Amino acid sequence: MGWGRWLLLGDLGQQLDLHDREAQIAQLEERMRTGRNRDAAITEEVRRLTLENNELKLYLAATFRLLLEKKLIDRQELESVVRDIDLADGAADGRHTGSLLGD
């Protein structure tokens, strides 16, 4: 390791140091590659989920508008149901993690 190896082993010690450094560099390169692959996978998953979320919002908006246009429900009823479902888990947080059908 460093000058101690070089003093005791001369050129062989220097070659051993170089080999150790090459191994460390290879490990760092592999960690960087793995990190980039993980980042790319996360980016792709976020992109996919964003597209899926946008599609779900589109269908949900179409469903709400259709219900309102056909006068099957009025805006106040819809808002009331949304509020009730939001509160069902004990927190008015704009999220619903339970069953879609309320089972």
Side-chain angles (χ1 to χ4, degrees), residues 5 11-14 17-18 24 34 36 43 53 67 69 71 73 75 77-78 81 84 86 89 91-92 102:
R5 225 187 228 180
D11 190 43
L12 177 61
Q14 188 176 23
D17 283 346
L18 288 173
Q24 288 173 341
T34 302
R36 276 193 299 260
T43 299
N53 186 56
L67 288 171
E69 285 174 12
K71 299 191 186 315
I73 191 170
R75 183 174 291 277
E77 287 176 303
L78 181 59
V81 170
D84 290 346
D86 186 22
D89 64 359

Side-chain angles (χ1 to χ4, degrees), residues 1-101:
M1 288 194 120
W3 65 270
R5 225 187 228 180
W6 180 77
L7 275 176
L8 293 174
L9 300 174
D11 190 43
L12 177 61
Q14 188 176 23
Q15 291 302 315
L16 290 172
D17 283 346
L18 288 173
H19 179 70
D20 289 348
R21 297 301 171 256
E22 287 172 353
Q24 288 173 341
I25 290 169
Q27 283 180 328
L28 290 171
E29 287 173 339
E30 179 59 28
R31 283 162 70 195
M32 284 177 52
R33 254 190 315 280
T34 302
R36 276 193 299 260
N37 290 343
R38 188 186 72 238
D39 290 347
I42 290 170
T43 299
E44 176 57 26
E45 181 68 4
V46 167
R47 186 194 69 74
R48 188 189 67 73
L49 289 171
T50 299
L51 291 173
E52 183 178 327
N53 186 56
N54 290 338
E55 183 179 12
L56 288 170
K57 285 169 43 178
L58 174 65
Y59 279 91
L60 189 58
T63 302
F64 286 166
R65 288 182 188 178
L66 190 60
L67 288 171
L68 292 168
E69 285 174 12
K70 291 187 175 263
K71 299 191 186 315
L72 297 172
I73 191 170
D74 64 34
R75 183 174 291 277
Q76 290 75 24
E77 287 176 303
L78 181 59
E79 289 171 355
S80 176
V81 170
V82 168
R83 199 171 26 258
D84 290 346
I85 292 171
D86 186 22
L87 287 170
D89 64 359
D93 54 8
R95 299 182 319 153
H96 175 67
T97 56
S99 167
L100 292 179
L101 300 177

